[in-house]
């Protein structure tokens, strides 16, 4: 697997998609990432098995992942749909420990890898809906945590896939989405309408019937 470094490309893995930490290999992946000079170029999706770890073991794994610069793409929709199916009571949330990872210095993004297929028979690709789902699932609804959710589908997601010219800065591609919301911390929970969408300076969506947009001349 790590012979892929000869192509000078980042690596993305579906990693440890399980309800238990038995046979978990994320530590090996982190160690090999460091040994092979791939720090910051490794991403893993799912990582649900990490939810079966706690205490010093969890802290050790997270610290190693942070050292390796591994990004974690949490996938709440498929993970909730497929995980914990053998639990007869106290059914597990079956989602990677988002808060612990983030607080431990690991870059965490939110995404979905399936839309309306046997693995995830719902969804429409809307990342705001994915983020809204993650708030109750990962206990991100507190005043200190809500502002950390939006970056998981914007800046943190861009970092995870290596986009360097991302963001609202001079010289970056003219890509922006204007949302009908007033407070940054409420952006996700408002489930706002998209008022304007521009991709690389090209207007692709404008909801004129909802709000009249005024731009300075």
């Amino acid at each position: 697997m790590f012979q892929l470094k000869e192509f000078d490309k980042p690596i993305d893995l579906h990693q440890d998609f399980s309800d238990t930490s038995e046979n978990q290999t994320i530590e090996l992946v982190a160690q090999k990432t460091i040994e092979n000079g791939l720090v910051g170029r490794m991403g893993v999706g799912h990582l649900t098995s990490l939810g079966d770890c706690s205490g010093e073991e969890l802290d050790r794994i997270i610290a190693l992942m942070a050292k390796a610069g591994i990004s974690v793409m949490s996938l709440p929709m498929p993970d909730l749909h497929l995980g914990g199916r053998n639990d007869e009571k106290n059914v597990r949330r079956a989602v990677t420990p988002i808060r612990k990872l983030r607080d431990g210095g690991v870059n965490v993004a939110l995404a979905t890898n399936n839309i309306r297929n046997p693995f995830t028979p719902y969804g429409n690709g809307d990342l705001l809906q994915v983020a809204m789902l993650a708030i109750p699932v990962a206990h991100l609804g507190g005043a200190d945590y809500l502002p950390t959710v939006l970056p998981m589908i914007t800046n943190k997601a861009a970092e995870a896939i290596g986009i360097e010219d991302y963001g609202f800065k001079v010289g970056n591609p003219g890509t922006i989405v204007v949302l009908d919301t007033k407070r940054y911390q409420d952006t996700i929970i408002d489930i706002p309408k998209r008022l304007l969408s521009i991709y690389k300076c090209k207007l692709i969506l404008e909801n004129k019937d909802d709000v009249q947009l005024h731009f300075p001349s």
Side-chain angles (χ1 to χ4, degrees), residues 13 35 37 45 66 95 122 133 139 178 181 215:
L13 303 175
E35 292 173 6
V95 173
Y122 42 73
L133 177 61
H139 293 141
V178 178
T181 184
F215 299 95

Side-chain angles (χ1 to χ4, degrees), residues 85-140:
R85 286 183 169 263
N86 294 321
D87 295 344
E88 296 183 358
K89 64 177 183 178
N90 293 327
V91 179
R92 278 168 280 205
R93 294 175 183 237
V95 173
T96 197
I98 293 173
R99 275 176 51 174
K100 289 286 289 185
L101 284 162
R102 184 207 56 206
D103 293 347
V106 174
N107 182 50
V108 181
L110 298 169
T112 182
N113 66 329
N114 298 284
I115 301 173
R116 300 193 187 189
N117 67 6
F119 302 105
T120 315
Y122 42 73
N124 58 10
D126 188 340
L127 287 177
L128 285 174
Q129 291 186 8
V130 172
M132 182 64 222
L133 177 61
I135 289 174
V137 168
H139 293 141
L140 295 168

Side-chain angles (χ1 to χ4, degrees), residues 42 55 65 71 85 96 108 119 121 164 167 183 194 212 214:
M42 173 68 68
M65 291 177 63
S71 290
R85 286 183 169 263
T96 197
V108 181
F119 302 105
E164 298 180 350
R183 300 200 313 162
R194 286 62 159 173
Q212 185 63 46
H214 298 281

Side-chain angles (χ1 to χ4, degrees), residues 138-155:
H139 293 141
L140 295 168
D144 293 336
Y145 292 112
L146 272 177
T148 71
V149 181
L150 182 59
M152 294 183 193
I153 60 171
T154 54
N155 301 73

Side-chain angles (χ1 to χ4, degrees), residues 5 29 33 45 53 72 77 85 88 108 112 114 121 130 172 182 193 208:
K5 69 178 183 178
V29 169
T33 297
C53 301
V72 175
M77 285 187 173
R85 286 183 169 263
E88 296 183 358
V108 181
T112 182
N114 298 284
V130 172
N172 283 357
K182 296 181 179 179
K193 293 180 180 179
K208 296 180 179 180

Side-chain angles (χ1 to χ4, degrees), residues 24-45:
Q24 181 174 258
T25 60
I26 186 60
E27 285 185 275
L28 175 63
V29 169
Q31 291 166 355
K32 292 298 182 181
T33 297
I34 296 170
E35 292 173 6
N36 287 272
L38 294 169
V39 173
R41 306 191 71 191
M42 173 68 68
V44 297

Side-chain angles (χ1 to χ4, degrees), residues 4-78:
L4 290 172
K5 69 178 183 178
E6 69 182 88
F7 298 106
D8 193 30
K9 297 294 183 181
I11 299 175
D12 174 44
L13 303 175
H14 282 229
Q15 179 68 35
D16 292 330
F17 187 25
S18 173
D19 289 340
T20 72
S21 57
E22 184 178 0
N23 300 319
Q24 181 174 258
T25 60
I26 186 60
E27 285 185 275
L28 175 63
V29 169
Q31 291 166 355
K32 292 298 182 181
T33 297
I34 296 170
E35 292 173 6
N36 287 272
L38 294 169
V39 173
R41 306 191 71 191
M42 173 68 68
V44 297
H46 298 294
L47 196 63
T48 54
S49 66
L50 201 61
D52 190 43
C53 301
S54 62
E56 293 183 0
E57 178 188 22
L58 180 58
D59 292 341
R60 183 189 72 249
I61 295 172
I62 289 176
L64 182 60
M65 291 177 63
K67 182 179 179 181
I70 294 176
S71 290
V72 175
M73 278 65 80
S74 178
L75 311 169
M77 285 187 173

